[in-house]
Amino acid sequence: MSGSAAPVTLALDTATPFLTLALAWPGGEVQSSEEVGRAHAERLADAARALFDRAGLPFRADRIVIGTGPGSYTGVRVGASYALGLGRAWGAEVLGVPTLEALVRAPAGTVPEGEVAVSLDARRGNVYGAVYEVRGGVVQRVVHAPEKRPLEEFEALAAGLPHHRDVPPDGLALLRAGLAHGTGTWALAYL
């Protein structure tokens, strides 16, 4: 852990075409999400530093939350490598959370509640999807575990539920999930 007086947490996800970042500290929180296609490696370091600058904080965190996928092989590995490198340099713990948990969202100004379906395109008529029970904007229980399924099968499974399909990850949702139940023994998942 860093020697700062108050804990700082950085969250990042590079599993989708979006570069998603969030930063939280006792005085506030900021996030950014930008569509970068496959340019995560070129953009991640500068975007992370810019987020710290925007928050007025030194470039150092006590915890790092990483979206572990599913996602593109290269994208997921770029984020994981960067998080592990920073974690080692800063002496920060690195917690993993499935990227699908960062897709849990609600209309602006509200907090998601109840069962929510989320999915990402897995090509060839398939999605990588999950159904979560959400309370206070954080996944509390996995109703249907993340799994690759035919789109029609997942839509039937998610019938009647809010379904967030191929939306940009929400950095603060990822960060909160990491703080609530992120694990230090994570594995990467690919589409």
Side-chain angles (χ1 to χ4, degrees), residues 62-83:
D62 301 285
R63 285 177 301 258
I64 302 167
V65 176
I66 177 70
T68 60
S72 76
Y73 179 83
T74 302
V76 171
R77 295 184 80 74
V78 163
S81 298
Y82 186 73

Side-chain angles (χ1 to χ4, degrees), residues 7-115:
V8 175
T9 302
L10 170 67
L12 62 101
D13 187 275
T14 57
T16 73
F18 292 85
L19 171 54
T20 301
L21 299 163
L23 192 59
W25 66 100
E29 54 190 28
V30 294
Q31 68 175 329
S32 69
S33 188
E34 176 186 8
E35 189 166 3
V36 298
R38 295 181 176 206
H40 295 97
E42 294 86 359
R43 307 285 294 277
L44 180 55
D46 289 341
R49 282 193 177 274
L51 195 67
F52 277 85
D53 289 346
R54 192 169 127 204
L57 296 172
F59 189 60
R60 186 175 187 96
D62 301 285
R63 285 177 301 258
I64 302 167
V65 176
I66 177 70
T68 60
S72 76
Y73 179 83
T74 302
V76 171
R77 295 184 80 74
V78 163
S81 298
Y82 186 73
L84 290 170
L86 286 181
R88 177 169 263 184
W90 292 342
E93 68 180 325
V94 179
L95 304 171
V97 176
T99 295
L100 291 174
E101 291 194 34
L103 305 184
V104 171
R105 57 186 58 236
T110 64
V111 176
E113 294 289 332
E115 290 188 5

